Amino acid sequence: MGKMLGRVRTQLDLYDLDPDETITPRPLPVLREAVRVANVVGQAARYESMTPVLPGLYAELHAAANTWTGTDRADAWGLLAEAYRCAHTVGIAAGYPDLSLIALNRMDWAARQAGDRAPALRAAREYLRITAYLRCHDYETCWHLNNAGRAHLEGTDPKTPGALIASGQLNLGAAVLSARTGDASAVRDYLNEAERYADLTGEDLETFWFGFGPTNVAAHRVITMIELGDYSHAIHLGEFIQFPRGWLPTRVGHHHFDLARAYQRLNVPEQALRHLHIARQVAPGQARRHPLVRGVVQDLLHTSRHPSESLTRYAAWIGL
């Protein structure tokens, strides 16, 4: 996949050149579906299938955004922003944070020209940047980005495309940040605010591919309980979450990573491994690469005098 990621990187680098005159963009509905499919594949952690599509899709959308007029032009810029998000997805998953950084910069560049979709797209981009800085525990930068995302949404209303979703997701991000720093009161406030937005939006899988809605709020309640050290409560709630049909595989997988972590902290290794296996079934491409999985498996190996065959096989599968 490295060679193909190099082609993606090239397209991200050549964003400021004139569009390729030999490209005749497909109609807007066709391009919209192509971007949707790319994101569906990415959110299923099928990165080897998604990545080869991106260079050509970027070139085609770039041509459309620069040659079309009126609302079609703004729509093309918005689709280009959504497509750039895919390079962020694979960059984070494959361990290329520099690729993620470039992709999110390009996402904002395209989003600025996306008409009435611009505010929420730009706020969504800030949320995605937060997730990257969370991984390196730079909470000061995370709060700065959360505030920047909220600033993009100033002056919007419920009719602004994507504004409710972006607002709700930023509250979920703030809840996780608060949990990381031990502020349980702020966690409750942010989760309650996110729940208010979720009541308005319902389950929305595809807007910014956050899977925002009541289920995602419930999953984040589990995450924040784990971050606060309340593992038993997290498990009690987490085991009973029912995912809507078609919910994003990477979000389902992450939920099982979280439960595995909670069980491991409570020294219940069999249940931790059970959830790791579920995560592998749901989104193997994600489970094989995710640092949370590696951390839990390493801890299980370290604390087990006689690791089970199932655990050693799982460790070998992720390359430990």
Side-chain angles (χ1 to χ4, degrees):
M1 193 166 63
K3 183 177 180 180
M4 188 54 62
L5 285 175
R7 290 186 57 200
V8 172
R9 190 188 304 274
T10 298
Q11 284 297 321
L12 294 174
D13 183 50
L14 302 182
Y15 76 105
D16 57 341
L17 298 185
D18 292 334
D20 186 341
E21 293 181 355
T22 67
I23 296 176
T24 300
R26 290 170 290 177
L28 180 61
V30 178
L31 288 178
R32 184 177 289 116
E33 179 62 12
V35 172
R36 191 190 74 84
V37 169
N39 275 285
V40 167
V41 173
Q43 294 303 315
R46 292 162 48 200
Y47 308 119
E48 289 83 0
S49 298
M50 176 187 69
T51 304
V53 174
L54 297 182
L57 185 58
Y58 291 157
E60 187 175 7
L61 287 166
H62 188 229
N66 280 279
T67 58
W68 289 353
T69 60
T71 58
D72 284 356
R73 180 186 181 92
D75 286 344
W77 280 114
L79 289 175
L80 184 56
E82 290 185 45
Y84 281 144
R85 184 252 168 84
C86 294
H88 155 74
T89 298
V90 71
I92 285 291
Y96 295 94
D98 60 326
L99 180 64
S100 163
L101 178 64
I102 296 169
L104 291 181
N105 284 338
R106 300 297 178 264
M107 181 179 176
D108 190 64
W109 168 75
R112 290 169 183 260
Q113 304 171 80
D116 62 354
R117 297 191 64 209
L121 274 168
R122 298 189 70 194
R125 178 258 190 166
E126 303 298 6
Y127 174 81
L128 293 170
R129 284 211 287 180
I130 290 169
T131 62
Y133 283 95
L134 267 174
R135 288 196 175 197
C136 57
H137 308 285
D138 185 350
Y139 305 136
E140 182 179 355
T141 298
C142 288
W143 281 118
H144 182 61
L145 293 171
N146 196 280
N147 291 333
R150 293 173 185 274
H152 289 314
L153 295 170
E154 290 180 2
T156 63
D157 58 42
K159 294 183 180 180
T160 303
L164 293 177
I165 301 293
S167 297
Q169 196 70 23
L170 285 169
N171 276 288
L172 292 180
V176 173
L177 278 169
S178 298
R180 287 280 185 95
T181 54
D183 190 343
S185 177
V187 168
R188 287 191 296 271
D189 291 343
Y190 284 121
L191 286 175
N192 289 339
E193 187 69 3
E195 193 166 53
R196 186 178 71 81
Y197 282 106
D199 289 340
L200 296 172
T201 66
E203 300 288 359
D204 187 317
L205 297 179
E206 297 190 3
T207 300
F208 311 130
W209 302 96
F210 291 149
F212 184 74
T215 303
N216 208 0
V217 174
H220 276 76
R221 288 193 186 278
V222 173
I223 292 171
T224 55
M225 288 173 193
I226 294 171
E227 295 292 351
L228 291 168
D230 191 353
Y231 306 122
S232 296
H233 196 189
I235 288 168
H236 177 74
L237 289 183
E239 288 285 12
F240 294 99
I241 291 179
Q242 298 292 318
F243 296 107
R245 184 177 181 180
W247 219 57
L248 308 179
T250 49
R251 286 298 306 125
V252 178
H254 202 294
H255 178 69
H256 289 288
F257 304 163
D258 292 324
L259 288 179
R261 180 163 54 126
Y263 276 117
Q264 190 277 323
R265 296 290 175 83
L266 290 176
N267 195 29
V268 188
E270 298 82 3
Q271 291 299 322
L273 189 56
R274 177 175 70 87
H275 281 283
L276 290 178
H277 279 298
I278 295 172
R280 178 177 179 176
Q281 293 169 2
V282 171
Q286 179 193 34
R288 196 167 193 171
R289 296 177 173 92
H290 204 285
L292 269 181
V293 172
R294 300 183 73 83
V296 171
V297 173
Q298 286 173 333
D299 288 341
L300 289 173
L301 289 171
H302 179 72
T303 57
S304 175
R305 290 186 177 181
H306 304 287
S308 67
E309 183 179 353
S310 180
L311 176 58
T312 55
R313 284 182 177 179
Y314 202 102
W317 178 67
I318 65 174
L320 287 179

